[in-house]
Amino acid sequence: MSIIDKIKSLFGKKDAALAAPAPAPTTQKRNENIIEIKGITKVFDGVTVLDDLNLGIKRGQFVTLLGPSGCGKTTLLRLIAGFETPTEGEIYIEGTPITSIPPFKRPVNTVFQKYALFPHLNVFKNVAFGLKLKTIPDPTAKKGVRKFTKEEIADKVNRALKLVGLEDYGHRDVNSLSGGQQQRVAIARAIVCEPKVLLLDEPLGALDLKMRKEMQIELKKMHEDLGITFIFVTHDQEEALTMSDVVVVMNDGVIQQIDRPKKIYDEPKNAFVADFIGESNLLPGVMEKDYKIAFLGKSLACVDKGFEKNEKVDVVIRPEDIVIKAGAGKGDFDGEVLTTVFKGTYYEMIVLASGYEFTVQSQVEHRPGETVSLGIVPDSIHIMKKILTINKYLGKVADENLVTFLGGDFEVPTEGFEIGDEVVVYVPFDAVELTDDEEDGVIGATVTQSIYKGSYYQVQVYNDNDEDLYVDTADEWDMNDRVGVKVDGAKVRLERYAPDADEEETE
Ligand code: ATP
């Protein structure tokens, strides 16, 4: 059962993710891009958090920005809202560049995770707040503009409250509402001024799971009723796949894939997307030739072609695509079941085969300790080009301004960290320098490949622990050369290592 089917069965309703985009108002062209993001780069304190982003968002679509914590989703949303200015590039709304337009003059409104309601105002007044401040053009008025009348405000507020299912709640104190109801007030407040684009920054993040599921369905319905463009930020892949017309998967400030949810799941563009979206078995492989892939010591048929001979690739196999049979010799890999968990409609098993722990899903249960054989048909083997945008390692702060990673002690600013802290170390490709003499580097390494990228070479080396390092350099390096590796510490970014950060992150 695919994750899309799981989501369908979970909600017991039509697959919202695959529903047609909401109809746009007839005076506007549905297929036209309402937002164009062109070459957007954002740098904070010397760190590039968005790197040359390009994205077109069609009118009336429900678009989700999806990615792990820190990948730059909120920053992109804040750039559209006008709370940040881009370092480079421009954003256009309906063809107009908006960088110099202040936030309150942009045809967008934002719903934040923390509802930020006014505690001293009731529901009606919270929703009416923005309308009271707004002026509208009126040629008959002295200054050519006027405020909304009391009746107009009441009419608009009541319509917005009805849309979020709170028509009888106008008089209520906002503090007496549940989290979900408060979030609905926040949404009513954002849509009452009739923005063309609604920006939603993890709006369901503070709700409990049940409320979150209910609100997902309601938000999708609101989107259909309103017919405006929604840009939704989440790090929850199930939420993204369930609700969106289009998902934009981001990592490290770079867009990895833009596609419809089903395509993102079925045809991930690279190993990052495959790994981030749903369960998958991710293995290193070598494309021996067209239609022939080698991994875990076996050569298997696949449906992919067009790779270099013996190109290193990532192989993705979905757990539900593996055929598991009792006994040995019936499939491609023999192994032993390590664990079995019943997941409601299928069993999820971890099978150790050829040194790799496969995750396998099947309607048939196999018990721990059982010998099984795993069969993988060519169609189920997805081959991904190895795409890396930054080198990433686990490291440790060894001393003040000294971090151990890749088997060496590198000079890197450690402000804000303590000695002994475990850190994730991000090393941009252009922060690495290779030296002819191994002794001149902090560590020694061996060159595996040197690819000409038009104006520079991208060189791949590996250290004595077999860890890869990518380097952007002006020089070509010969395969198997021994080199020294230096790193420009000023360009390196450190993050506290928090293995469970995603699970803990409920805010
Ligand atoms: P999350 O899901 O955790 O909110 P995100 O994908 O929305 O993550 P952003 O909030 O956009 O990520 O942050 C991207 C990076 O930019 C992070 O490393 C963050 O620390 C950094 N960053 C964001 N805003 C600022 C700022 N005002 N000053 C300095 N760094 C910032």
Side-chain angles (χ1 to χ4, degrees):
M1 187 190 256
S2 76
I3 195 163
I4 304 269
D5 293 329
K6 278 180 215 160
I7 292 162
K8 267 199 250 180
S9 65
L10 197 66
F11 289 157
K13 62 173 279 183
K14 84 181 161 84
D15 184 358
L18 303 178
T26 47
T27 52
Q28 297 160 340
K29 288 184 212 134
R30 185 188 304 183
N31 276 330
E32 146 196 286
N33 279 343
I34 187 165
I35 295 184
E36 288 274 7
I37 291 161
K38 290 196 174 159
I40 286 289
T41 293
K42 180 68 187 173
V43 179
F44 284 119
D45 308 328
V47 178
T48 303
V49 299
L50 292 178
D51 195 1
D52 193 19
L53 241 69
N54 291 288
L55 174 67
I57 294 176
K58 296 211 186 316
R59 194 182 293 282
Q61 274 186 330
F62 194 127
V63 175
T64 297
L65 307 178
L66 172 70
S69 183
C71 73
K73 311 175 293 283
T74 299
T75 302
L76 181 55
L77 209 69
R78 289 172 60 80
L79 285 165
I80 299 170
F83 304 135
E84 300 285 355
T85 38
T87 310
E88 271 174 46
E90 183 58 272
I91 298 176
Y92 300 81
I93 298 189
E94 297 187 308
T96 307
I98 56 162
T99 299
S100 55
I101 301 177
F104 66 94
K105 287 203 172 151
R106 298 186 184 193
V108 304
N109 220 331
T110 311
V111 179
F112 300 97
Q113 183 183 105
K114 299 204 179 94
Y115 336 118
L117 300 176
F118 302 113
H120 57 288
L121 299 181
N122 68 17
V123 168
F124 184 97
K125 286 182 178 162
N126 257 285
V127 178
F129 191 83
L131 284 178
K132 285 186 182 161
L133 301 178
K134 210 173 152 76
T135 51
I136 48 165
D138 181 354
T140 65
K142 230 187 203 170
K143 290 184 181 162
V145 289
R146 68 167 175 86
K147 300 253 178 192
F148 284 117
T149 64
K150 261 191 169 173
E151 292 71 33
E152 283 171 331
I153 290 178
D155 182 48
K156 283 178 186 292
V157 171
N158 287 330
R159 262 193 293 151
L161 286 176
K162 189 156 187 245
L163 242 160
V164 299
L166 290 178
E167 56 266 57
D168 299 325
Y169 284 69
H171 63 286
R172 285 275 293 270
D173 180 349
V174 287
N175 302 303
S176 71
L177 303 181
S178 70
Q181 288 167 335
Q182 289 190 30
Q183 191 53 290
R184 277 187 244 183
V185 177
I187 294 167
R189 191 177 57 178
I191 59 181
V192 77
C193 293
E194 296 164 29
K196 290 182 177 164
V197 180
L198 190 63
L199 307 173
L200 301 117
D201 191 1
E202 301 238 13
L204 312 182
L207 305 179
D208 66 38
L209 190 65
K210 187 165 173 289
M211 184 79 79
R212 198 176 170 128
K213 301 271 177 220
E214 283 169 17
M215 281 298 289
Q216 285 174 4
I217 294 167
E218 286 189 25
L219 257 187
K220 185 71 194 162
K221 184 161 183 319
M222 271 180 226
H223 171 251
E224 279 163 17
D225 291 346
L226 282 166
I228 63 172
T229 311
F230 276 30
I231 307 180
F232 184 88
V233 160
T234 184
H235 61 268
D236 180 331
Q237 44 109 353
E238 187 178 311
E239 192 160 277
L241 296 182
T242 311
M243 300 174 74
S244 327
D245 298 315
V246 170
V247 178
V248 179
V249 185
M250 294 173 63
N251 188 32
D252 279 335
V254 176
I255 293 178
Q256 305 290 319
Q257 187 165 359
I258 307 170
D259 257 316
R260 292 167 67 80
K262 191 167 176 346
K263 210 153 175 226
I264 295 262
Y265 184 77
D266 286 343
E267 295 167 47
K269 277 233 170 88
N270 58 39
F272 172 81
V273 179
D275 198 31
F276 192 69
I277 307 284
E279 291 269 0
S280 55
N281 295 289
L282 186 57
L283 305 118
V286 172
M287 203 66 197
E288 292 181 324
K289 55 180 182 176
D290 284 352
Y291 311 116
K292 214 47 163 186
I293 173 75
F295 59 96
L296 296 181
K298 278 228 164 174
S299 183
L300 296 183
C302 65
V303 295
D304 294 84
K305 62 177 176 119
F307 290 83
E308 302 278 321
K309 195 168 184 290
N310 291 328
E311 184 173 336
K312 281 187 176 181
V313 290
D314 289 312
V315 178
V316 172
I317 305 160
R318 296 287 185 198
E320 66 271 26
D321 290 340
I322 297 176
V323 180
I324 178 166
K325 288 189 177 154
K330 294 176 183 164
D332 301 300
F333 298 97
D334 292 340
E336 181 191 329
V337 178
L338 298 182
T339 61
T340 302
V341 179
F342 183 55
K343 293 270 188 172
T345 52
Y346 61 92
Y347 294 89
E348 187 164 290
M349 292 158 277
I350 305 293
V351 176
L352 179 64
S354 301
Y356 181 79
E357 292 187 6
F358 282 91
T359 303
V360 183
Q361 293 170 356
S362 165
Q363 311 271 326
V364 181
E365 182 186 15
H366 295 273
R367 303 293 307 157
E370 198 179 320
T371 297
V372 290
S373 194
L374 306 180
I376 304 162
V377 297
D379 210 20
S380 300
I381 301 175
H382 304 283
I383 310 287
M384 316 274 145
K385 257 195 170 323
K386 273 195 184 290
I387 297 175
L388 263 184
T389 55
I390 197 160
N391 297 294
K392 188 174 169 185
Y393 308 99
L394 200 58
K396 202 170 200 168
V397 177
D399 207 338
E400 193 178 330
N401 298 331
L402 204 63
V403 179
T404 308
F405 61 96
L406 274 174
D409 289 336
F410 292 85
E411 278 181 33
V412 173
T414 56
E415 204 187 320
F417 295 90
E418 303 281 325
I419 294 171
D421 276 356
E422 290 205 311
V423 285
V424 182
V425 187
Y426 295 91
V427 185
F429 297 168
D430 65 354
V432 186
E433 190 195 331
L434 300 181
T435 58
D436 274 320
D437 192 343
E438 195 180 334
E439 301 302 316
D440 291 340
V442 176
I443 57 163
T446 307
V447 176
T448 37
Q449 58 177 355
S450 197
I451 301 170
Y452 187 54
K453 294 270 185 176
S455 54
Y456 64 96
Y457 289 89
Q458 192 165 88
V459 181
Q460 186 186 358
V461 303
Y462 62 93
N463 69 358
D464 298 337
N465 297 329
D466 242 2
E467 293 172 294
D468 284 327
L469 178 78
Y470 286 82
V471 187
D472 285 350
T473 147
D475 309 312
E476 187 177 7
W477 294 79
D478 292 331
M479 271 236 326
N480 299 323
D481 257 11
R482 281 297 288 178
V483 291
V485 174
K486 285 181 174 177
V487 162
D488 176 357
K491 291 185 178 170
V492 171
R493 181 160 63 90
L494 299 182
E495 249 176 38
R496 210 164 292 284
Y497 175 57
D500 296 329
D502 280 356
E503 285 91 55
E504 279 167 14
E505 191 187 8
T506 50
E507 291 242 312

